[in-house]
Amino acid sequence: MDVLGRYVTDADRHIALTLHLVQEQKTARSAVTELVEVRLDGHRVGVLTKGMSTELRDVIAYVDDLGKVPVCRGVLKGSQLKADIVLDVAKTTEIPQKWLDATAAGGKAL
């Protein structure tokens, strides 16, 4: 809420978020897991579940390997007390080849 509180309004707010692959370990005894971290203006505002991270991992790595930053749309809802972000993102299996080709060529995203 330290970060989100600055962006919350009475109406839903559309925002751009960046996605990053991070290594996380929940406890000293648990295994390290690769998850997707969600950032707003460079600040961590959340991390996706292991299942959702798996669904997005390959497309995030693909874009990152091209030297670009993966971005998605989001909607911020809530108040100064509690806020949620809903991501608008396609799973790796839903990405068309046309988008991959355009991204690799430095063209506009679809």
Side-chain angles (χ1 to χ4, degrees), residues 3-21:
V3 174
L4 295 180
R6 293 180 270 175
Y7 297 90
V8 173
T9 63
D10 287 337
D12 293 354
R13 184 163 184 184
H14 296 264
I15 54 178
L17 303 152
T18 58
L19 305 174
H20 307 269
L21 295 175

Side-chain angles (χ1 to χ4, degrees), residues 12-110:
D12 293 354
R13 184 163 184 184
H14 296 264
I15 54 178
L17 303 152
T18 58
L19 305 174
H20 307 269
L21 295 175
V22 296
Q23 303 293 319
E24 300 230 342
Q25 186 173 14
K26 295 209 179 220
T27 66
R29 292 184 173 186
S30 65
V32 174
T33 305
E34 186 172 54
L35 299 173
V36 174
E37 180 178 87
V38 180
R39 297 180 192 166
L40 176 59
D41 286 340
H43 301 282
R44 180 179 171 141
V45 292
V47 63
L48 301 183
T49 64
K50 184 177 179 182
M52 195 63 199
S53 293
T54 300
E55 295 284 348
L56 300 177
R57 189 235 172 269
D58 292 338
V59 71
I60 291 171
Y62 177 79
V63 173
D64 194 47
D65 288 346
L66 293 172
K68 299 179 181 190
V69 178
V71 176
C72 74
R73 295 180 205 172
V75 177
L76 176 62
K77 303 175 180 196
S79 69
Q80 293 286 330
L81 301 176
K82 183 180 184 318
D84 292 311
I85 297 174
V86 177
L87 302 182
D88 182 8
V89 61
K91 297 175 187 174
T92 299
T93 56
E94 299 169 342
I95 304 294
Q97 187 62 45
K98 182 178 176 182
W99 185 90
L100 296 172
D101 295 341
T103 303
K108 293 181 181 178
L110 304 175

